[in-house]
Amino acid sequence: MNPTKAQVDEATTQCVNALTQNAQFWGCFFEDDAGRAEDKRAGPSCLDRQAALAKQCLKRCADYASDTTHLVCAGSYPNTVWRVSFGDISRDAGSARVDLCGPRLRASVSSLLRFNALSDSRTSSGYP
């Protein structure tokens, strides 16, 4: 059986949504100092940052969706199929290190302006 493009697209969307939800839970609920620093550097909230990182996994999700929507793979060994597509960054099906799917997020203009304003205030108040 060959899946339709709509079936593969829907499975890809489900994959990205699962990654987003898991990344937001684990990455924000248990956010550490490094994560908070990244939020300040990149600009968006933790939830937005994790969603943006998960979207960078689109290619891997498309590969996973293609494999799982074919009759041979459908319903059998989802963790095995998941690890084929997400091997180096994989956890259990639906979870992965989304921060490793693509490049580091670029800083937003508003976060750069806040950083520059903070730096200027420290310099003018006697900080080196």
Side-chain angles (χ1 to χ4, degrees):
M1 171 180 141
N2 286 329
T4 66
K5 181 179 181 335
Q7 289 171 315
V8 174
D9 289 348
E10 176 61 26
T12 301
T13 299
Q14 288 175 3
C15 172
V16 172
N17 289 343
L19 284 176
T20 300
Q21 290 169 359
N22 279 318
Q24 288 174 332
F25 175 75
W26 292 108
C28 297
F29 188 71
F30 298 105
E31 187 173 31
D32 58 8
D33 290 340
R36 284 185 283 280
E38 186 66 8
D39 290 342
K40 288 179 183 175
R41 185 199 67 79
S45 69
C46 182
L47 295 174
D48 291 339
R49 181 171 50 88
Q50 294 297 335
L53 291 168
K55 287 178 184 171
Q56 291 184 349
C57 296
L58 185 62
K59 169 75 169 89
R60 290 179 188 243
C61 278
D63 291 343
Y64 174 75
S66 178
D67 290 344
T68 57
T69 54
H70 284 83
L71 181 60
V72 175
C73 295
S76 63
Y77 310 108
N79 280 337
T80 302
V81 177
W82 183 264
R83 286 189 183 102
V84 168
S85 297
F86 290 88
D88 57 329
I89 62 169
S90 179
R91 295 177 181 158
D92 290 334
S95 184
R97 293 274 317 268
V98 297
D99 58 315
L100 300 177
C101 278
R104 187 175 184 196
L105 296 177
R106 296 179 65 185
S108 70
V109 171
S110 62
S111 68
L112 291 173
L113 292 173
R114 278 194 315 266
F115 178 77
N116 287 338
L118 180 62
S119 295
D120 290 344
S121 69
R122 285 184 178 169
T123 303
S124 64
S125 64
Y127 285 100

